[in-house]
Amino acid sequence: MHEPPDRQTEYRRPGDSISNTRIALLALGLLVLVVGLFAGAGVLVRQTDTSAQPVAVRATPTPAGVVPSRNPRREPDLDVGTPVEQGVFVQIARGWTKQTYDHLGIRVTSFERGAEARFYVVTNPVTSLPLLRPDVDAFAETQDLRDVQYGRAVSVPPPNLNVVEAARISFTGRRTEDGLVYSLAGECLRLRGAPKVNDVSVSICFAAYLQDLDAVRAEVRQMTGSVARSI
């Protein structure tokens, strides 16, 4: 018998079911990939947003050896060495000995070179230049100097920004010791602190045997530098 002409028999090849399964798996994988991309983009956006938050900045600590000032200073206040007065310090150079100390300052000596230096602090400072010759006179009297000759009093550049005024004068004189006459030379220097920082005036005078003047001057200026950094 023959089947009716309007009905047809369906035939499937053996690989048809496997192909359909692969297509389904590929579609599912593609869906997962798309979802993952959108999720990753969301995380990226959130991370970008949080990176815009302000970041705390740690304060820089005060360097060791720098004493924080009670007053607003233009440069760090380095209080190192032997106290003089009113927050002023001096680092005494090697080969020098501290002899006396009073409420105004200190005196240091280098005996074998006939050298002496005095560091005094004045709490009611005035203009430095007119005070240099009186400083020489007072210092020469303590040194038993006679026939004192004065150099020219001149303004010099302040050693740092905490000092507003500096002036110097040189001098020579003679001193008699054990019947012998010695020629000496030296300098007096005035440093004035900034009025709103440390309104003081520091007087520094020294003298030495003429043949030792250059070496002594260099050492006193080294000590003077430590004084200036503490003003």
Side-chain angles (χ1 to χ4, degrees):
M1 296 180 61
H2 296 282
E3 293 182 359
D6 56 340
R7 297 181 60 186
Q8 296 181 354
T9 303
E10 293 183 356
Y11 293 96
R12 291 185 180 180
R13 291 175 295 177
D16 287 349
S17 59
I18 296 176
S19 298
N20 292 337
T21 301
R22 289 179 178 174
I23 293 172
L25 290 175
L26 288 174
L28 180 59
L30 181 61
L31 178 61
V32 171
L33 178 61
V34 172
V35 172
L37 288 174
F38 278 104
V43 171
L44 181 61
V45 170
R46 287 195 298 273
Q47 290 176 346
T48 303
D49 292 342
T50 57
S51 65
Q53 297 297 322
V55 178
V57 179
R58 296 179 60 184
T60 303
T62 301
V66 177
V67 179
S69 172
R70 295 184 301 271
N71 303 309
R73 294 180 180 269
R74 303 174 186 180
E75 288 189 12
D77 178 23
L78 301 179
D79 293 343
V80 180
T82 302
V84 180
E85 185 65 23
Q86 296 293 320
V88 176
F89 287 71
V90 58
Q91 286 184 283
I92 300 174
R94 181 176 300 178
W96 291 75
T97 303
K98 184 177 74 171
Q99 297 294 341
T100 58
Y101 173 84
D102 59 30
H103 68 287
L104 291 177
I106 64 173
R107 178 172 67 95
V108 297
T109 60
S110 179
F111 181 76
E112 67 278 4
R113 297 179 291 182
E116 180 170 317
R118 292 181 178 239
F119 301 84
Y120 280 89
V121 176
V122 181
T123 56
N124 296 308
V126 296
T127 303
S128 298
L129 278 172
L131 297 177
L132 289 175
R133 286 190 63 156
D135 283 351
V136 172
D137 292 338
F139 181 72
E141 184 177 353
T142 68
Q143 301 299 300
D144 295 325
L145 294 180
R146 59 186 176 85
D147 301 328
V148 175
Q149 301 293 319
Y150 306 93
R152 188 166 63 93
V154 295
S155 296
V156 295
N160 62 52
L161 295 177
N162 292 329
V163 177
V164 296
E165 186 179 271
R168 177 183 291 122
I169 189 173
S170 60
F171 62 89
T172 60
R174 292 187 293 173
R175 181 168 66 205
T176 301
E177 299 177 9
D178 299 326
L180 299 176
V181 178
Y182 294 87
S183 295
L184 289 88
E187 294 177 351
C188 283
L189 173 73
R190 281 260 176 172
L191 301 175
R192 183 175 180 182
K196 293 184 179 180
V197 175
N198 194 1
D199 194 12
V200 297
S201 181
V202 182
S203 173
I204 303 166
C205 290
F206 76 91
Y209 294 144
L210 197 58
Q211 64 269 23
D212 296 308
L213 179 62
D214 291 340
V216 169
R217 180 193 288 120
E219 293 168 5
V220 172
R221 289 187 178 180
Q222 177 185 341
M223 292 188 278
T224 301
S226 68
V227 170
R229 290 189 293 272
S230 72
I231 294 176

